[in-house]
Amino acid sequence: MEETPIPEIRVHPIRNGTVIDHITAGQALNVLNILNIPNPSSGVVSIIINAPSVHGIKDVVKIEGRELNVEEVDRISLIAPKATINIIRNFEVSGKTHVHIPEKVSGVVKCINPNCISNSNEPVTSRFTVKPDGRKITLRCSYCERTISEDIGNHLL
Amino acid sequence: MTFKDLHIISMKSFSRDMIDHILDTAEKLEPIASSKSKSDLLKGKVLAVMFFEPSTRTRMSFETAMMRLGGDVLSLGSVDASSIAKGETLADTIRVVEGYSNAIVLRHNKEGAAQLASEFSSVPIINAGDGAGHHPTQTFLDLYTIRRESHLDGLKIALAGDLKYGRTVHSLCYALSLYGAEITLVSPKELRMPAEIIDDLKSHNIKVRETDSIEEAISDVDVLYATRIQKERFPDPAEYRKVANSLQITPELLEKAKPELKVMHPLPRTNEIDPRVDGTPHACYFRQSFYGVPVRMALLALVMGALK
């Protein structure tokens, strides 16, 4: 008996909004966390996880009716350094940029060292220097100098 | 090069020129440290000594250094009897104490505490140890000891003991990387030097070798720097005894060493160094402890602007 082909599920193009492409596979949910999604006022959000691409597998997030600000893009760069941000206006790509990896981030990540002074009740914000290393990012705490290079998404504030 | 009002937080902020200048200044001040001459260099200046965790040597050597230079010392006293016990933040405590003093020496149990203090203080902060982080003045006195007792250039050194948690060896490694030392790291596998420090050393083109055998390391080095292995790091007391005994420095072990080898230790020691070593020409740990005074005198005089 001939097998019935399974219909391919397609994500519809969006009219206005942002497509975040080439997200490191497995990081899509952390991207949503950074963007505070879901929340009642956000538009339709589509997520593709483990999509095949020329560089292996990737995640993609499409957000209707929202363009990202610089701070949000900086945060995304920490967990998806190869991501591209496509601004969609009237179904057309009106702008495409690679995420910019900042030299320093402040108030974005919590230090993994429980004995770091930034994890106490002092009036300071966590601060890290950012070192790109190929497809990975290493963060070094400006207070205790402990580094984070794995699972950065789990330490986002 | 100016040291006035400089915060002393981590060895990483010091170039080789700066370190050499501090060591040269310490050497000039050594006769005053040993009471062979007198000085009023810091007369009228006040040093606030804020120790949030117990210490004997570091605190006393800072106090001695300040008094030898004619200055006064203001001590935080017991943490339990201070505002910290009422929940005051370190940032607030620093902003109060800076009004009473010309420099603040801080020891704290949290890593990064000295960095934080420096962000809130208009007077120089001197880090006297922050958790498992940095202890730069110990490193300056270690370097001074190596220079006085052996040589800094072309040094071959073995660091033995708890290299994972021992902050003195972390800072010392960074400083020695400026002098092109060859470093052998001797430790049980549970207490190895953190990988990020080894990576940093290698990025400075420093030859680094790791071993768990002190016998293997000792024959070729100019200095053997031992640190205390802390019993509480081992869940199994039998494992601790095995490790502690395997790294013990004895006169028999030293027979395999160069005659000019110097044995250093930041003290206090437990059983890392057999007391029979004390009388040998290799032992220099008690002189090392004394060298803390001229080194801290130099740092205090420089950051308070009494010397350039």
Side-chain angles (χ1 to χ4, degrees):
Chain A
M1 198 173 89
E2 209 173 279
E3 272 189 30
T4 314
I6 299 167
E8 195 176 346
I9 299 170
R10 291 192 179 277
V11 177
H12 292 289
I14 57 176
R15 177 185 290 277
N16 294 305
T18 305
V19 175
I20 310 165
D21 199 359
H22 300 290
I23 298 170
T24 311
Q27 292 297 332
L29 297 180
N30 283 325
V31 168
L32 297 187
N33 186 32
I34 288 170
L35 300 177
N36 194 26
I37 293 172
N39 80 46
S41 61
S42 59
V44 175
V45 176
S46 314
I47 308 161
I48 305 169
I49 292 176
N50 292 341
S53 83
V54 284
H55 301 297
I57 52 171
K58 64 176 183 178
D59 291 358
V60 182
V61 170
K62 296 184 178 194
I63 308 156
E64 295 262 12
R66 177 167 168 186
E67 294 183 11
L68 309 188
N69 62 39
V70 175
E71 193 189 304
E72 288 168 333
V73 175
D74 279 357
R75 285 177 179 230
I76 290 170
S77 75
L78 300 182
I79 56 168
K82 298 288 176 190
T84 54
I85 310 291
N86 301 280
I87 306 296
I88 311 295
R89 289 179 187 145
N90 204 20
F91 295 109
E92 301 238 326
V93 178
S94 77
K96 180 173 182 167
T97 53
H98 288 278
V99 293
H100 162 73
I101 298 165
E103 287 178 7
K104 290 191 174 199
V105 287
S106 191
V108 172
V109 176
K110 181 180 161 73
C111 183
I112 54 169
N113 175 5
N115 203 40
C116 176
I117 195 83
S118 70
N119 284 327
S120 56
N121 65 341
E122 297 294 334
V124 290
T125 312
S126 73
R127 210 169 63 228
F128 291 82
T129 52
V130 183
K131 192 177 157 200
D133 181 14
R135 293 183 77 82
K136 276 177 71 179
I137 294 278
T138 298
L139 302 178
R140 186 175 285 236
C141 175
S142 300
Y143 289 98
C144 74
E145 299 187 356
R146 189 75 69 88
T147 57
I148 313 175
S149 53
E150 303 290 334
D151 302 325
I152 291 173
N154 295 342
H155 307 291
L156 292 169
L157 283 168
Chain B
M1 185 177 353
T2 177
F3 285 85
K4 190 172 183 303
D5 296 328
L6 184 73
H7 298 296
I8 296 174
I9 308 297
S10 153
M11 286 309 295
K12 285 183 183 171
S13 46
F14 289 89
S15 66
R16 180 171 166 164
D17 282 351
M18 292 170 88
I19 296 172
D20 285 340
H21 184 67
I22 291 164
L23 304 189
D24 290 343
T25 307
E27 201 158 344
K28 284 178 201 154
L29 294 173
E30 198 180 309
I32 302 166
S34 54
S35 212
K36 287 181 184 141
S37 62
K38 287 186 171 182
S39 171
D40 276 335
L41 205 57
L42 293 181
K43 191 173 181 186
K45 304 278 189 191
V46 174
L47 176 69
V49 178
M50 298 175 62
F51 276 51
F52 288 78
E53 62 175 19
S55 159
T56 311
R57 267 164 303 280
T58 306
R59 181 174 55 77
M60 286 180 74
S61 73
F62 266 112
E63 290 174 353
T64 306
M66 192 62 183
M67 289 190 276
R68 293 276 194 221
L69 292 175
D72 293 305
V73 175
L74 182 66
S75 178
L76 174 73
S78 159
V79 170
D80 294 341
S82 73
S83 297
I84 292 108
K86 297 174 192 166
E88 186 178 58
T89 61
L90 175 62
D92 279 4
T93 309
I94 291 291
R95 283 182 282 195
V96 170
V97 175
E98 68 164 357
Y100 306 155
S101 59
N102 301 98
I104 297 171
V105 175
L106 176 71
R107 169 167 286 194
H108 203 279
N109 58 324
K110 295 270 183 193
E111 283 123 61
Q115 173 60 37
L116 178 139
S118 73
E119 292 169 14
F120 289 91
S121 175
S122 59
V123 302
I125 297 290
I126 302 175
N127 186 3
D130 55 346
H134 295 282
H135 192 3
T137 67
Q138 176 71 44
T139 304
F140 284 121
L141 85 84
D142 290 341
L143 293 169
Y144 186 71
T145 306
I146 293 169
R147 195 171 91 160
R148 290 280 276 106
E149 301 277 336
S150 182
H151 54 93
L152 269 171
D153 283 303
L155 180 75
K156 290 183 177 178
I157 185 169
L159 307 171
D162 177 0
L163 306 184
K164 183 174 183 181
Y165 300 101
R167 61 187 167 204
T168 56
V169 286
H170 296 173
S171 294
L172 183 57
C173 274
Y174 281 119
L176 290 172
S177 72
L178 300 174
Y179 291 86
E182 281 183 32
I183 302 173
T184 303
L185 303 170
V186 191
S187 68
K189 63 179 185 309
E190 300 89 338
L191 297 174
R192 286 220 169 126
M193 183 69 79
E196 62 259 30
I197 296 180
I198 294 180
D199 290 345
D200 279 352
L201 293 174
K202 286 182 177 168
S203 71
H204 282 88
N205 295 322
I206 297 301
K207 274 192 191 167
V208 184
R209 184 165 77 93
E210 286 186 281
T211 175
D212 55 7
S213 160
I214 200 161
E215 283 83 2
E216 194 185 307
I218 199 167
S219 61
D220 188 36
V221 292
D222 307 305
V223 170
L224 172 59
Y225 191 109
T227 64
R228 189 164 58 96
I229 293 187
Q230 296 164 78
K231 209 175 187 171
E232 60 273 22
R233 305 285 183 206
F234 290 81
D236 179 356
E239 276 298 304
Y240 164 74
R241 280 193 296 275
K242 200 167 82 185
V243 163
N245 292 337
S246 75
L247 294 184
Q248 198 188 34
I249 299 162
T250 61
E252 293 75 27
L253 176 79
L254 292 171
E255 283 171 13
K256 297 171 189 157
K258 289 180 182 177
E260 63 271 26
L261 170 88
K262 297 295 176 189
V263 177
M264 294 171 62
H265 192 297
L267 302 178
R269 65 175 158 177
T270 45
N271 64 344
E272 307 84 48
I273 303 176
D274 187 319
R276 291 178 298 145
V277 173
D278 297 357
T280 71
H282 300 294
C284 72
Y285 25 90
F286 293 116
R287 287 195 298 280
Q288 178 186 357
S289 181
F290 160 73
Y291 291 141
V293 178
V295 164
R296 288 171 174 131
M297 286 166 72
L299 289 167
L300 293 173
L302 288 165
V303 301
M304 290 192 210
L307 289 177
K308 283 188 176 171

